[in-house]
Amino acid sequence: MIGLMACAQTSQPSTGSQKTLRVSVGEIKDITLSKGGNGSWELIGASDNQEVVEVSRRNLAPAVDTLKRDNTGPMIFQIKGVTSGTANVVFTRKAIDGTGNGEVVRTYVVQVTAK
């Protein structure tokens, strides 16, 4: 029985590059990720514990010339510490019309501390 449990725990999907990030409760850190390609991909950020960490995309003001659409630049996400604890934040890349979870680009282990 113990052998089966050990095998189940080691079969994890690829996590891309993994980094550690420390933030205080209420603090917001910007994370910049390259979209790459021709704009046919989308980047998604998700926290496995939203009570500890919130993830959102930073909204930028539209450019003066709104006729030119260039979706190949970097995307900026914001990671906000909500309560003390630890959470994993996973950024995945997925084709806009694709299905499934996509490819893991980067994983952050976020440690939130009290001020």
Side-chain angles (χ1 to χ4, degrees), residues 39-42 44 92-103:
S40 63
W41 296 94
E42 64 180 334
I44 301 166
T92 56
R93 181 176 77 162
K94 182 174 110 171
I96 290 178
D97 58 350
T99 59
N101 294 333
E103 171 190 356

Side-chain angles (χ1 to χ4, degrees), residues 4-114:
L4 292 175
M5 290 174 60
C7 291
Q9 291 176 348
T10 59
S11 60
Q12 296 178 358
S14 171
T15 57
S17 65
Q18 185 170 344
K19 297 184 176 189
T20 301
L21 182 66
R22 294 179 196 273
V23 296
S24 298
V25 172
E27 183 180 8
I28 297 173
K29 294 263 184 157
D30 287 347
I31 303 295
T32 303
L33 297 171
S34 172
K35 278 180 76 171
N38 58 6
S40 63
W41 296 94
E42 64 180 334
L43 287 173
I44 301 166
S47 169
D48 70 347
N49 191 345
Q50 293 184 353
E51 292 178 6
V52 174
V53 174
E54 290 179 358
V55 180
S56 61
R57 282 186 33 198
R58 191 168 105 190
N59 293 326
L60 301 175
V64 174
D65 180 8
T66 58
L67 296 176
K68 182 180 177 188
R69 303 280 184 213
D70 183 7
N71 294 330
T72 60
M75 290 189 71
I76 300 172
F77 288 87
Q78 293 183 323
I79 294 179
K80 179 181 179 182
V82 179
T83 60
S84 296
T86 302
N88 294 310
V89 175
V90 179
F91 293 97
T92 56
R93 181 176 77 162
K94 182 174 110 171
I96 290 178
D97 58 350
T99 59
N101 294 333
E103 171 190 356
V104 176
V105 175
R106 187 172 299 159
T107 301
Y108 283 90
V109 177
V110 183
Q111 297 172 342
V112 182
T113 57

